[in-house]
Amino acid sequence: MEEIRAVKIRENVFHIYESLGVWCTLITGSKAALLIDTGFGFGDISGKVRKLTDLPLTIINTHGHVDHIQGNKFFDTVLLHEDDRRIIKQYSSFPVKLAVYLGAKKTLSPEEKRNVPAFFKRNVQKLQYIQDGHQIDLGDRVLEVIHTPGHTKGSVCILDTKDRILFSGDSISSHVWLFLKESTSIKRYMESISKVIQRKEEFDSILSSHSPAVFRTTILEKILHCAEHIDVGKSTVYDSHLAGKGLLYSEGFEKIQAAYGYATFEEFIKHTGEIDPEAIADIEFVSIVYTKKKVG
């Protein structure tokens, strides 16, 4: 039986590795629990969660991309911001699933390969569409949904003021994708970051969906500065292979080079898993992938 790979962030907060570089987060309260995102669906997220809690469970997707929603099929009802209605349908489609599987099959573990049939099952869960400010009551704490358009139009963060953590999905991290068709303009993303900055006295830590690193609130200003100062002339071509090409603009990469000797961003990404997550948070290097159209 597969062991749970999880990082215990607080006594009641578990950052759970699902598959293919994606982390889901479980928060338990006195009466209920919340699961933030469900991953690609290769990692039996339901089984992993139930090894940690038997509390009544609410599920929320931070946005509608395939790597955050495919485990939805293991649950009855899932919360999603209404602005990602179209996106979740697109990324639940068979062509998208097939492309993901073909790109990932060589890297799947034996356990993940056993879950491939479940990955291709139709997503039949009920979607409950929510808006900015939606509250989730776990008994001893009430979490708040903060709408943060950027990565997608319906992207959200979830704020836990009791444990002073912001769960940021793909909206806030050291590496942000804003080059997708469904991404907003850079200006709209900066408005979202500014909105979160206005609330930063309410939290001390930021936990994203693609790293076990716990970021400090100072990364918010660094991301905002990076977005404000995007320079096409200082950007490099970024190719995600599956999602397409964009331009990469980064600030602070010289600190990565000095600490680890990586010559290029691609080399750094290839070896990110070998770096202590706490060290990444300390460096607070930030990067944004964008297109010229998003800057205008």
Side-chain angles (χ1 to χ4, degrees):
M1 183 176 291
E2 183 184 22
E3 293 186 5
I4 301 173
R5 178 183 170 190
V7 178
K8 192 173 184 179
I9 306 298
R10 298 283 190 278
E11 189 62 31
N12 65 307
V13 179
F14 302 89
H15 207 35
I16 307 168
Y17 186 79
E18 195 272 335
S19 62
L20 302 176
V22 178
W23 297 76
C24 307
T25 309
L26 175 69
I27 304 105
T28 60
S30 60
K31 296 182 179 179
L34 175 68
L35 177 64
I36 300 175
D37 289 330
T38 62
F40 274 110
F42 292 117
D44 185 23
I45 188 63
S46 178
K48 292 176 181 179
V49 166
R50 284 309 179 200
K51 288 178 182 177
L52 295 169
T53 183
D54 59 1
L55 287 167
L57 193 61
T58 296
I59 316 297
I60 187 170
N61 294 150
T62 57
H63 59 291
H65 281 154
V66 61
D67 53 329
H68 297 257
I69 65 167
Q70 283 306 315
N72 286 0
K73 60 175 62 70
F74 302 120
F75 306 98
D76 295 328
T77 303
V78 178
L79 307 181
L80 179 76
H81 192 277
E82 60 183 3
D83 286 353
D84 266 12
R85 285 175 182 257
R86 182 182 63 82
I87 293 302
I88 196 169
K89 291 179 181 178
Q90 175 187 340
Y91 282 91
S92 299
S93 67
F94 178 78
V96 170
K97 291 180 184 179
L98 181 60
V100 168
Y101 171 68
L102 292 176
K105 64 179 182 179
K106 291 182 179 180
T107 63
L108 295 176
S109 69
E111 180 72 22
E112 289 165 346
K113 288 178 181 177
R114 286 194 287 271
N115 290 329
V116 168
F119 171 75
F120 278 105
K121 286 184 179 179
R122 290 182 62 240
N123 292 46
V124 295
Q125 77 287 333
K126 177 183 177 183
L127 293 172
Q128 179 182 337
Y129 295 108
I130 59 173
Q131 298 178 341
D132 185 48
H134 183 87
Q135 295 188 336
I136 303 167
D137 188 352
L138 301 185
D140 59 344
R141 71 196 63 229
V142 177
L143 280 64
E144 180 186 349
V145 174
I146 302 174
H147 186 207
T148 50
H151 182 59
T152 68
K153 293 179 177 64
S155 289
V156 301
C157 296
I158 297 98
L159 176 61
D160 181 353
T161 56
K162 184 171 183 178
D163 272 337
R164 299 184 60 81
I165 302 177
L166 184 75
F167 304 98
S168 64
D170 286 358
S171 292
I172 300 166
S173 183
S174 57
H175 183 53
V176 180
W177 277 15
L178 298 176
F179 71 113
L180 305 170
K181 289 182 179 179
E182 60 268 22
S183 300
T184 70
S185 67
I186 301 296
K187 180 181 178 181
R188 184 69 185 90
Y189 177 66
M190 288 192 294
E191 291 171 355
S192 293
I193 297 300
S194 297
K195 176 183 178 180
V196 174
I197 288 174
Q198 291 173 8
R199 304 283 301 272
K200 75 173 188 176
E201 295 304 317
E202 300 176 66
F203 58 94
D204 304 312
S205 305
I206 300 172
L207 196 61
S208 66
S209 295
H210 290 280
S211 173
V214 179
F215 295 103
R216 298 166 184 80
T217 59
T218 48
I219 198 172
L220 292 166
E221 282 82 3
K222 293 182 182 297
I223 291 172
L224 185 59
H225 186 278
C226 186
E228 288 175 335
H229 294 84
I230 282 177
D231 186 335
V232 175
K234 295 180 180 179
S235 300
T236 58
V237 174
Y238 178 90
D239 189 351
S240 73
H241 304 296
L242 185 61
K245 292 183 179 181
L247 295 171
L248 174 76
Y249 178 73
S250 62
E251 294 185 345
F253 187 65
E254 67 279 359
K255 297 177 183 178
I256 298 288
Q257 291 176 311
Y260 302 102
Y262 300 131
T264 65
F265 181 82
E266 289 75 17
E267 186 180 1
F268 164 62
I269 288 295
K270 184 178 180 180
H271 295 279
T272 300
E274 302 168 12
I275 302 174
D276 184 344
E278 196 169 316
I280 294 177
D282 281 338
I283 291 175
E284 290 193 344
F285 153 76
V286 294
S287 58
I288 294 174
V289 185
Y290 68 99
T291 62
K292 292 179 181 179
K293 184 177 180 180
K294 302 294 184 183
V295 177

